[in-house]
Amino acid sequence: MYCIDDKQYPCSTSLTMKYIGGKWKAVILIHLIEKKRYNELRKELPMVTERTISLQLKELEQDGLISRTVHTSKPPLKVDYELTEFGKTLIPLLKAIAQWGKETAKTDSRISIVK
């Protein structure tokens, strides 16, 4: 059993899902393998609401997976997001998930690829 902030996780998989679980966290993380500005991320995820992206980014930052840098040198305000060293440890897992999805899309007749 694992415990973080008095919350218990029965196995390592549930602990992992605490960090990347939910509909959009893994998607956001894979897009942040390369540092991005907030607006770049929004453009890459048009089906995700701005509120959802903001909430997920805050949770990922609180969990230490991403860092947020605010550039105030000149208007307009610019904000960069990137994986922390801790977040970078997820890259092999994120890439494996993405590859599994690509392979599944090729073999599952219910899936159509929309461009």
Side-chain angles (χ1 to χ4, degrees), residues 89-107:
T89 63
L90 286 169
I91 290 173
L93 173 64
L94 295 168
K95 287 185 174 182
I97 290 169
Q99 186 59 39
W100 184 88
K102 286 177 188 175
E103 295 301 318
T104 300
K106 290 178 190 175
T107 59

Side-chain angles (χ1 to χ4, degrees), residues 67-99:
S67 64
R68 177 180 187 265
T69 305
V70 179
H71 302 279
T72 58
S73 56
K74 58 183 177 179
L77 184 76
K78 297 189 190 279
V79 180
D80 290 332
Y81 291 92
E82 63 186 318
L83 297 179
T84 61
E85 289 304 311
F86 179 49
K88 289 176 184 175
T89 63
L90 286 169
I91 290 173
L93 173 64
L94 295 168
K95 287 185 174 182
I97 290 169
Q99 186 59 39

Side-chain angles (χ1 to χ4, degrees), residues 6 9 20 28 36 45 47 52 71 76 82 86 102 111:
D6 296 326
Y9 300 88
I20 66 166
I28 290 169
K36 296 231 176 3
L45 304 170
M47 70 294 298
T52 298
H71 302 279
E82 63 186 318
F86 179 49
K102 286 177 188 175
I111 299 172

Side-chain angles (χ1 to χ4, degrees):
M1 179 139 349
Y2 302 89
C3 187
I4 299 175
D5 298 327
D6 296 326
K7 186 163 183 187
Q8 294 182 347
Y9 300 88
C11 64
S12 59
T13 301
S14 65
L15 179 65
T16 302
M17 295 311 292
K18 175 253 188 274
Y19 288 100
I20 66 166
K23 189 171 181 180
W24 299 111
K25 281 185 180 178
V27 174
I28 290 169
L29 287 167
I30 202 156
H31 281 271
L32 291 179
I33 287 175
E34 301 281 328
K35 182 185 346 185
K36 296 231 176 3
R37 292 225 161 107
Y38 179 81
N39 285 335
E40 291 175 297
L41 189 60
R42 283 279 302 127
K43 287 177 187 172
E44 291 178 7
L45 304 170
M47 70 294 298
V48 186
T49 67
E50 194 167 331
R51 181 178 187 275
T52 298
I53 290 177
S54 294
L55 289 171
Q56 297 296 283
L57 287 169
K58 284 178 186 169
E59 287 180 20
L60 291 166
E61 186 180 11
Q62 288 170 349
D63 285 338
L65 295 174
I66 65 170
S67 64
R68 177 180 187 265
T69 305
V70 179
H71 302 279
T72 58
S73 56
K74 58 183 177 179
L77 184 76
K78 297 189 190 279
V79 180
D80 290 332
Y81 291 92
E82 63 186 318
L83 297 179
T84 61
E85 289 304 311
F86 179 49
K88 289 176 184 175
T89 63
L90 286 169
I91 290 173
L93 173 64
L94 295 168
K95 287 185 174 182
I97 290 169
Q99 186 59 39
W100 184 88
K102 286 177 188 175
E103 295 301 318
T104 300
K106 290 178 190 175
T107 59
D108 188 331
S109 62
R110 298 171 296 163
I111 299 172
S112 61
I113 300 172
V114 180
K115 301 245 176 180

